[in-house]
């Protein structure tokens, strides 16, 4: 309930996709489709299915705004003594913070790669070089520009 910011009263009597619809503002929203496919897989194969990380935007309580959320869902069949499927236990692990952090790191690395490429280009045009000193390893790394200047 905490991860979805809902209450038992809100969920009572509602189907899963009624309570948690796809974000109508996101044409790429496929959470509902993926979850239905996972349920069918559990029914057909009669075994648990751990889904890959899913983006499933959730509606903020008391507003019409959807916030991006990321979950690692798992669907587990529950059988009676006669091996008949009674229901599917749907569990989720909220990994939103981790995914958003990974996206930030990926963006930062992309920007760093662009900056390094631009610096290399500037070094070639302006005939200068740069170096870095890693305090932990006590190693110096020279750019191509330093090697050119020193004719090494």
């Amino acid at each position: 309930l905490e991860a979805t910011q809902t209450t038992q009263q809100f969920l009572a009597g509602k189907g899963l996709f009624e309570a948690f619809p796809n974000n109508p503002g996101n044409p790429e929203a496929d959470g509902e489709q993926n979850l239905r496919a996972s349920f069918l897989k559990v029914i057909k194969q009669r075994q648990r299915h751990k889904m890959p990380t899913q983006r499933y935007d959730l509606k903020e309580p008391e507003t019409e705004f959807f916030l991006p959320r990321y979950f690692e869902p798992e669907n587990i069949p529950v059988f009676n003594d006669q091996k008949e499927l009674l229901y599917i236990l749907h569990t989720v692990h909220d990994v939103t913070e981790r995914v958003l952090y990974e996206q930030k790191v990926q963006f930062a690395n992309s920007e760093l790669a662009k900056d390094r490429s631009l610096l290399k280009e500037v070094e070639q045009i302006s005939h200068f070089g740069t170096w870095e000193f890693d305090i932990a390893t006590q190693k110096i790394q020279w750019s191509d520009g330093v090697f050119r200047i020193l004719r090494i």
Side-chain angles (χ1 to χ4, degrees), residues 39 42 48-49 74-78 85 87-92:
F39 288 154
V42 170
R48 67 178 36 196
H49 180 239
E74 184 171 13
N75 296 306
I76 305 163
V78 177
L85 179 64
Y87 52 89
I88 297 173
L89 178 63
H90 176 67
T91 64
V92 294

Side-chain angles (χ1 to χ4, degrees), residues 114-151:
K114 288 179 196 174
D115 290 347
R116 286 181 187 234
S117 175
L118 182 59
L119 180 60
K120 189 173 185 175
E121 189 176 325
V122 169
E123 280 186 354
Q124 290 173 345
I125 294 168
S126 60
H127 304 290
F128 77 88
T130 60
W131 57 272
E132 295 177 30
F133 178 68
D134 186 327
I135 295 172
T137 63
Q138 299 288 303
K139 292 187 179 184
I140 297 174
Q141 183 176 351
W142 290 355
S143 70
D144 292 342
V146 171
F147 285 104
R148 274 194 312 277
I149 292 168
L150 299 176
R151 300 179 197 275

Side-chain angles (χ1 to χ4, degrees), residues 5-35:
Q5 299 179 8
T6 55
T7 63
Q8 287 181 338
Q9 293 81 11
F10 171 79
L11 296 174
K14 291 184 180 171
L16 179 63
F17 301 116
E18 179 185 357
F20 303 108
N22 269 336
N23 179 353
N26 180 359
E28 296 177 5
D30 60 358
E32 185 176 327
Q33 173 186 332
N34 295 342
L35 190 51

Side-chain angles (χ1 to χ4, degrees), residues 60-78:
E60 280 190 306
E62 302 175 18
T63 74
E64 294 300 312
F65 295 107
F66 281 77
L67 297 176
R69 300 298 295 266
Y70 296 88
F71 299 97
E72 289 179 346
E74 184 171 13
N75 296 306
I76 305 163
V78 177

